[in-house]
Amino acid sequence: MTYCSASYQFSYFSSVKFNSLGYHILGAIAIPFHILGAYCIIFKTPQTMSSVKWPMLNYHILTTLVDVMFGFMVCPYIIAPFSIMLPSGVLQILGVYQGVQAYVGITSVATMAVSMVQIVENRYMILRSGNLTWQKIRIPWFCFNYLFASLITLPMYLEIPKDQESAKSVIFAKVPCIPCEIREDPALFVVAESMNLTVAVILPFVILICTEILTFSRFSRLALKKNNTQLSEMTIKLQRRFLRAYIIQIAFPCFFLFFPLLMILLEYLTTTFDQTVNNISFLLLASYGLSSTILMLLVHSPYRKFLKELFGELIGVRKVARNQTVNVIIPSLVSIKSRINLI
């Protein structure tokens, strides 16, 4: 069975060059935002948000790590629905084994997903501080989640084909439209001969993370309703605002995280191939951290207030500089005019 005909033409948007350029541009845009986000979390988080400061910083660091991995370190050109990639990042230049690059790239996304759960769980823990049973098991539960995220790709790593040339030949027979420059690139690497193992490994983890996020979000809402009679109206409003902000910060960017996975799954199930869709899908995945950081700066009022003050000061400085320039130019023009009149 072939996924495309030999006459299928790769466009610029299907190329490795477009893919790498997209990663680099996203990474270059994201880094300043991540630095600003880290500064806000560390120095501008108010006392009312102190309980979630470190989970937020942990999540922010891991999202930054994902952006760095995709934008600079790995820059994977993924040929889906096959487990084959062509890395073009710093790790490839340094000669790091492609299997290790694949392992590190997937693990960075998986650990970031666990940190998303940690933020939602933290809100539940604050609202239900009297739940002694959960207090006892939450640390082992976190350790299990992070260990699971770290080992999720281990079966794939152990099953990497030893005979790469034979594995490539099998895949090229199914996708004869892959250009020669990609086929002959020595960095091209087959992570797994079949997508079955990839789906079997990643899908249960995605289901687990989604279930945990939805569960803790639901428990937090129930806990907030239960505490209506015990907390002041102002405290309840504040907790609702916090919960809504965290859900927006996590839920909205999830489109960039799950859309690529959905597209790969659809290509796998329908036996179709479109490298342009693959490139755009993984560029969306690489923009998850950037979108999450921007939303964090916008939805949390202390950070939003700081940004308004910061940009207000910058605009004020520019206005002062412009006024000073005008004040210098106008007297100079008046002086020149008076000299001309004297002549």
Side-chain angles (χ1 to χ4, degrees):
M1 179 186 294
T2 58
Y3 285 70
C4 63
S5 64
S7 60
Y8 177 91
Q9 295 294 320
F10 269 50
S11 67
Y12 172 73
F13 300 105
S14 307
S15 66
V16 178
K17 185 177 180 181
F18 169 75
N19 190 67
S20 299
L21 181 62
Y23 282 139
H24 295 333
I25 291 174
L26 285 172
I29 294 172
I31 294 302
F33 279 97
H34 288 319
I35 293 172
L36 180 61
Y39 176 84
C40 287
I41 293 172
I42 296 171
F43 298 106
K44 298 299 176 180
T45 300
Q47 189 62 32
T48 53
M49 293 174 59
S50 60
S51 58
V52 79
K53 178 178 180 178
W54 300 115
M56 280 185 67
L57 183 60
N58 177 55
Y59 169 68
H60 183 73
I61 290 172
L62 291 174
T63 55
T64 303
L65 177 63
V66 170
D67 281 1
V68 170
M69 281 294 168
F70 276 86
F72 303 105
M73 303 307 291
V74 180
C75 303
Y77 179 79
I78 309 293
I79 300 176
F82 306 97
S83 297
I84 184 169
M85 67 176 233
L86 198 165
S88 58
V90 175
L91 294 181
Q92 182 62 31
I93 295 172
L94 295 175
V96 177
Y97 177 51
Q98 293 96 325
V100 173
Q101 294 185 54
Y103 181 87
V104 170
I106 298 173
T107 301
S108 66
V109 176
T111 52
M112 180 198 68
V114 174
S115 68
M116 292 164 54
V117 180
Q118 190 174 356
I119 289 181
V120 184
E121 185 275 341
N122 179 264
R123 298 314 305 168
Y124 169 72
M125 192 62 202
I126 292 170
L127 294 170
R128 288 299 305 271
S129 57
N131 191 336
L132 299 179
T133 302
W134 179 245
Q135 286 183 10
K136 293 178 181 178
I137 65 173
R138 66 190 297 259
I139 300 301
W141 171 80
F142 273 129
C143 293
F144 165 76
N145 268 4
Y146 277 107
L147 184 63
F148 186 29
S150 301
L151 300 177
I152 184 176
T153 51
L154 188 59
M156 295 171 56
Y157 183 83
L158 295 176
E159 291 297 320
I160 290 176
K162 299 294 186 293
D163 188 353
Q164 283 287 309
E165 294 304 319
S166 175
K168 289 177 186 177
S169 299
V170 172
I171 293 176
F172 292 156
K174 295 179 181 179
V175 195
C177 57
I178 296 178
C180 291
E181 60 267 23
I182 296 178
R183 291 170 178 255
E184 297 171 0
D185 196 312
L188 190 68
F189 187 79
V190 178
V191 180
E193 292 183 276
S194 172
M195 275 291 291
N196 295 337
L197 178 60
T198 306
V199 173
V201 168
I202 294 178
L203 191 59
F205 180 77
V206 172
I207 292 173
L208 173 67
I209 294 299
C210 291
T211 302
E212 289 180 346
I213 290 176
L214 293 174
T215 300
F216 283 115
S217 297
R218 178 60 178 168
F219 283 174
S220 296
R221 289 183 178 275
L222 292 175
L224 196 57
K225 288 181 180 180
K226 189 175 181 179
N227 291 338
N228 275 347
T229 57
Q230 303 174 13
L231 302 175
S232 66
E233 186 177 348
M234 181 63 68
T235 303
I236 292 172
K237 285 183 178 180
L238 191 64
Q239 291 294 341
R240 283 177 178 169
R241 192 182 305 138
F242 284 163
L243 185 60
R244 191 182 303 115
Y246 296 134
I247 290 174
I248 292 173
Q249 180 186 348
I250 292 173
F252 278 72
C254 278
F255 167 79
F256 300 99
L257 191 61
F258 291 115
F259 180 79
L261 299 177
L262 178 62
M263 293 309 301
I264 293 173
L265 186 61
L266 287 175
E267 286 185 319
Y268 170 72
L269 295 174
T270 59
T271 62
T272 56
F273 172 79
D274 191 324
Q275 191 56 39
T276 299
V277 173
N278 291 338
N279 282 357
I280 293 174
S281 296
F282 282 97
L283 287 175
L284 283 175
L285 175 60
S287 65
Y288 172 85
L290 174 61
S291 61
S292 178
T293 298
I294 291 174
L295 277 174
M296 179 192 74
L297 295 171
L298 294 178
V299 299
H300 294 290
S301 56
Y303 307 152
R304 189 169 62 246
K305 182 181 178 181
F306 167 71
L307 290 180
K308 286 181 179 179
E309 293 174 354
L310 179 63
F311 287 117
E313 290 177 2
L314 292 175
I315 293 171
V317 169
R318 288 184 179 181
K319 285 183 177 179
V320 170
R322 192 182 300 115
N323 291 337
Q324 288 177 347
T325 304
V326 171
N327 291 337
V328 170
I329 292 174
I330 291 177
S332 299
L333 292 175
V334 172
S335 175
I336 293 170
K337 184 177 179 181
S338 61
R339 290 179 183 179
I340 293 173
N341 291 337
L342 287 173
I343 294 172

